[in-house]
Amino acid sequence: MNASPTPLSIDPLVQDLDGETARLRAAGPIVRIDLLGAPAWTVTSHTVARRLLTDARLVKDINQWGLFTSGQVTHDWPLIGMVDVPPSMFTTDGAEHRRLRTKIAQALTARRVEDLRPVIEGYTEQLLDAMAGQAKSAPGGVVDLKPAFAGPLPMSVVCHLMGVAEAEIPRQMRLWKAFFSMLTPQDERLAVMAEIYGIFLKMVEEKKAAPGDDLTSALILADEGGAPMSREEIAGNLQSMIAAGHETTIALILSAVRGLLTHPAQLELVLGGSVSWEAVIEEALRWDPPVTHLLMRFATEDVVVDEAGGFVIEKGEGVVMSYRAIGRDTSFYGDDADSFDITRTDAARNVAFGHGPHICPGAALSRLEAAIALPALFARFPSLRLAVPAQELRKAPVLTQNDLEALPVVLEG
Ligand code: STR
């Protein structure tokens, strides 16, 4: 039996994310939340998350969501774009999921993404050169690391991978920013979603006519054992890759830089070579992960969670994964889970990329991008520092994703 606690409201424009994470954690391993009018459960425990992420009774198909099928959640709901999306590996489970995901996952193994290393290094160097130039003419030499570095790199890489033209990047940046922002009026968000899908459907048509050396063309040409993907499914996968491949890695780079610049003694350890960049990346993923809340899975039947005292998720209810709270789970990481510590030995056990069948297929690529971008940034600008007090850094107005609005830095001197 579940108690019926007052749901904890999730503030779409939250600035005190540490406060929100602490409140969620204090409320238990599974917590009743109010997601802008839609009640749901969210998971804050590492152990419960791992258990539920491999439970086949929790699925991604929105038609299993009671609030949606009953018409209580409609397209007026500001988060609808996170759950009612074109068919893709993100919306399916079981055999359908494998059909839509396998080719992409295979192209993104740690070994295969090594082929992208020179591409990532090339973009990184270009951006660093441009930043150095920009700093010379900027007042006080201040540069915002988000638009100058962390922002463009992941979008360029994922567009290169999927075969999206460079000329398309500015429009993609603008559309996805509007998609994720909680300040975007809902009618505008719906228009943006329609525009995005239209762009990708058209792109699939064009690539069908003239395939290139990219992953989208590979999806078009794949037979998938006699069940090739439809145009809608390819567009859905392409769209998911672009959405997932830029926003999250931007946040990872910003989070690692913020962690290091606000913990100078730890930065010294990395620059002195006694702690690896990989350790920095894993700790950033645990401590301040790109995804605050991942929406959503739906229960196809009542699910009893023994790991949370026999708690029951009822058929038709929605389950969120609060990855930021999960990363701060003191019963898993110890009493100092709230502190950024690149020397902790268990950071790499984080589940910031998820777990189970839907585990992020782009994890190796994201880690590689960060492992190239971060050392290159600090090698080029060894005296990099924050241009404003850390308390003045503002979060972007996004509920589900965790990135900064801006990260103003002084590059040298
Ligand atoms: C955005 C809207 C869309 O058209 C397609 C997708 C599917 C993939 C989703 C993406 C969404 C939002 C951001 C997600 C991404 C998968 C990984 C990424 C959830 C809903 C994360 O932030 C983990």
Side-chain angles (χ1 to χ4, degrees):
M1 270 282 288
N2 300 331
S4 32
T6 319
L8 219 142
S9 286
I10 302 296
D11 173 3
L13 300 176
V14 61
Q15 281 300 329
D16 177 18
L17 199 55
D18 285 340
E20 179 190 281
T21 301
R23 278 191 295 281
L24 283 167
R25 292 230 7 92
I30 301 193
V31 180
R32 194 66 171 161
I33 53 170
D34 176 355
L35 268 181
L36 310 179
W41 299 108
T42 197
V43 177
T44 67
S45 140
H46 179 99
T47 310
V48 173
R50 283 181 58 104
R51 147 87 173 75
L52 293 181
L53 287 167
T54 50
D55 193 317
R57 297 168 299 174
L58 293 176
V59 299
K60 305 293 290 280
D61 176 8
I62 191 175
N63 296 308
Q64 299 295 329
W65 193 16
L67 292 176
F68 186 72
T69 51
S70 68
Q72 285 162 273
V73 163
T74 65
H75 282 82
D76 296 338
W77 189 53
L79 295 168
I80 195 73
M82 297 301 292
V83 281
D84 191 18
V85 290
S88 72
M89 58 187 168
F90 189 74
T91 63
T92 45
D93 287 276
E96 275 294 272
H97 178 235
R98 277 189 296 282
R99 181 174 68 86
L100 296 177
R101 173 179 160 118
T102 304
K103 182 132 219 115
I104 292 174
Q106 283 168 351
L108 291 173
T109 60
R111 196 171 55 83
R112 294 283 299 280
V113 296
E114 270 301 321
D115 293 348
L116 289 167
R117 180 180 284 277
V119 175
I120 303 169
E121 286 171 347
Y123 289 131
T124 302
E125 290 309 315
Q126 266 176 31
L127 292 167
L128 292 173
D129 291 344
M131 258 167 67
Q134 191 189 335
K136 286 205 179 74
S137 55
V142 176
V143 171
D144 180 354
L145 209 65
K146 188 171 181 185
F149 187 67
L153 180 66
M155 184 61 105
S156 300
V157 173
V158 73
C159 284
H160 173 91
L161 173 74
M162 300 309 295
V164 174
E166 270 186 43
E168 174 62 33
I169 291 180
R171 176 165 68 165
Q172 287 295 318
M173 288 298 247
R174 176 175 59 75
L175 289 171
W176 287 109
K177 185 171 182 193
F179 169 85
F180 283 113
S181 171
M182 287 291 117
L183 297 173
T184 303
Q186 187 63 5
D187 53 347
E188 194 180 318
R189 189 189 328 279
L190 294 173
V192 161
M193 285 162 58
E195 184 177 349
I196 291 175
Y197 196 35
I199 293 170
F200 289 118
L201 283 170
K202 183 157 162 264
M203 214 177 271
V204 172
E205 283 306 308
E206 287 163 4
K207 285 210 181 282
K208 263 192 176 155
D213 181 17
D214 55 63
L215 191 46
T216 306
S217 302
L219 297 182
I220 291 170
L221 298 171
D223 171 62
E224 298 310 326
M229 292 177 211
S230 69
R231 170 175 176 247
E232 288 74 17
E233 288 167 340
I234 297 168
N237 266 346
L238 168 57
Q239 177 165 333
S240 303
M241 287 293 293
I242 301 292
H246 82 283
E247 168 58 33
T248 48
T249 306
I250 295 174
L252 173 57
I253 295 171
L254 292 176
S255 158
V257 173
R258 179 175 82 101
L260 290 173
L261 294 184
T262 52
H263 297 82
Q266 298 191 44
L267 176 56
E268 291 276 296
L269 293 178
V270 188
L271 297 182
S274 48
V275 176
S276 68
W277 286 101
E278 282 67 27
V280 172
I281 293 165
E282 296 311 314
E283 179 62 351
L285 285 166
R286 180 198 72 81
W287 176 70
D288 197 26
V291 184
T292 314
H293 308 292
L294 188 121
L295 276 49
M296 201 178 328
R297 287 172 171 77
F298 311 105
T300 55
E301 55 183 87
D302 289 0
V303 175
V304 181
V305 189
D306 293 328
E307 292 82 350
F311 181 96
V312 183
I313 298 164
E314 285 174 23
K315 178 179 161 104
E317 289 187 324
V319 181
V320 173
M321 291 289 148
S322 287
Y323 283 114
R324 197 170 191 278
I326 292 167
R328 302 294 183 95
D329 184 347
T330 47
S331 62
F332 188 76
Y333 295 107
D335 287 341
D336 67 343
D338 276 330
S339 50
F340 179 74
D341 179 2
I342 58 175
T343 66
R344 73 171 73 238
T345 51
D346 52 3
R349 298 180 66 191
N350 75 76
V351 288
F353 286 111
H355 177 68
H358 286 275
I359 190 169
C360 176
L365 176 57
S366 185
R367 287 183 164 116
L368 181 63
E369 288 180 43
I372 291 172
L374 293 168
L377 173 70
F378 284 94
R380 179 76 74 98
F381 307 113
S383 51
L384 189 80
R385 60 182 192 276
L386 287 180
V388 297
Q391 320 77 268
E392 284 176 25
L393 295 174
R394 308 279 299 162
K395 248 196 104 271
V398 181
L399 185 150
T400 53
Q401 319 298 121
N402 173 25
D403 69 343
L404 294 168
E405 180 68 30
L407 185 55
V409 292
V410 179
L411 299 183
E412 46 206 334

